[in-house]
Amino acid sequence: MEQTADQQHENTLQENRNEMAGRLMVALDYPDAAQARLLLDQLEGIPCYMKVGMQLFYAAGPDFIRELKERGYSVFLDVKMHDIPNTVRGGAESLTMLGVDMFNVHAAGGAAMMAAALEGAAKAVSRHPELHIPLIIAVTQLTSTSQETMNNEIGIAGTVSDTVVRYAKLAAGAGLHGVVASPQESALIAEACGPEFRTVTPGIRPAGASLDDQSRVMTPGQAIRQGSHYLVVGRPITAAADPRAAALTIIKEMSEV
């Protein structure tokens, strides 16, 4: 039976919403798996990415990652590796074996360290061809880092944007797939590294939401317009009275760009 124009329009809207849901990364910033599962139950059926950070991974371990994969989620394991190349190579091999879809390293570790992460992932896939190489991205500057902190405490001169772009170029040169940066730098990164180089952007706050401990923020719609590939959202969803409604509202705003 041929679809009506209204049905075709609605199908197109739904496809767009599903695509944008896949670009929304919900930060599971919980101290244990039990609390994270409560949110997963509330978000059931929304095909978003799940981001697991250090607190939850250290508490729940690899088994929780496997559980997320069994539930059908794409997983970003946010452990920010920063060590000598050999150690990062081994860590990347282990994370690839776990089946994560994305993980990150610190760009400040240098080109050799970032290249070692790719080598570790490739080694895991060579041993187990059913696996895939995850998207490996580099942290440039945390979205909580102001220019004053970067200049006077970390000891890096210049503007935050200049540092982010320099690190992005370093990551691209090392073969990584993208970077973590604030949405304010997405357009600059695309200009420097090309539109296919992914930007994963925390610091997303819907209009009127609290900034919490973030310094460089944008709304979901603004971030998509700036070229962000993935939006990381935590407390505006996890601390909402109705997390499902909050997530759907963000996806709707992303879809209307």
Side-chain angles (χ1 to χ4, degrees):
M1 183 176 177
E2 188 172 340
Q3 292 184 330
T4 66
D6 286 344
Q7 289 172 326
Q8 290 176 341
H9 179 65
E10 181 56 37
N11 287 341
T12 299
L13 287 177
Q14 187 58 51
E15 288 174 3
N16 191 33
R17 284 192 287 265
N18 286 342
E19 178 194 348
M20 290 299 171
R23 294 170 62 180
L24 171 64
M25 295 180 158
V26 178
L28 298 178
D29 294 331
Y30 294 104
D32 56 57
Q35 293 186 52
R37 290 187 189 106
L38 293 176
L39 181 73
L40 294 176
D41 290 343
Q42 291 175 294
L43 300 182
E44 185 73 33
I46 301 176
C48 49
Y49 239 96
M50 291 296 167
K51 185 182 84 71
V52 177
M54 287 181 276
Q55 183 181 23
L56 182 55
F57 187 62
Y58 293 162
D63 284 345
F64 185 69
I65 303 300
R66 296 185 184 99
E67 179 181 335
L68 288 174
K69 295 301 300 178
E70 288 170 2
R71 285 180 178 241
Y73 288 110
S74 295
V75 177
F76 169 26
L77 188 51
D78 180 17
V79 290
K80 301 181 178 71
M81 288 192 288
H82 188 175
D83 213 311
I84 63 172
N86 190 57
T87 298
V88 169
R89 184 181 295 108
E93 182 181 356
S94 295
L95 296 186
T96 302
M97 294 283 290
L98 192 53
V100 302
D101 301 277
M102 180 185 292
F103 68 86
N104 56 3
V105 300
H106 266 286
M113 188 205 76
M114 289 188 279
L118 278 170
E119 293 165 5
K123 182 178 179 182
V125 172
S126 71
R127 292 168 53 198
H128 298 274
E130 73 278 7
L131 297 173
H132 65 278
I133 293 180
L135 295 174
I136 305 175
I137 60 174
V139 178
T140 54
Q141 287 295 311
L142 301 176
T143 52
S144 59
T145 300
S146 65
Q147 184 166 321
E148 180 181 0
T149 298
M150 191 186 77
N151 294 160
N152 299 329
E153 296 180 19
I154 302 175
I156 299 175
T159 67
V160 172
S161 294
D162 287 343
T163 300
V164 167
V165 171
R166 184 172 69 252
Y167 278 152
K169 289 180 177 179
L170 189 68
L176 266 59
H177 305 103
V179 290
V180 182
S182 97
Q184 295 179 11
E185 289 101 35
S186 292
L188 295 173
I189 292 167
E191 182 179 350
C193 302
E196 299 305 313
F197 189 70
R198 278 85 161 184
T199 49
V200 178
T201 55
I204 303 299
R205 291 292 183 271
S210 169
L211 298 184
D212 299 308
D213 55 358
Q214 304 286 350
S215 295
R216 309 193 316 280
V217 302
M218 279 189 184
T219 67
Q222 289 171 334
I224 292 295
R225 283 190 290 273
Q226 286 295 310
S228 296
H229 292 82
Y230 298 97
L231 310 188
V232 178
V233 182
R235 284 163 286 193
I237 293 175
T238 60
D242 186 341
R244 185 180 188 86
L248 291 174
T249 296
I250 290 171
I251 292 167
K252 183 174 183 290
E253 182 176 345
M254 293 167 67
S255 303
E256 292 175 346
V257 172

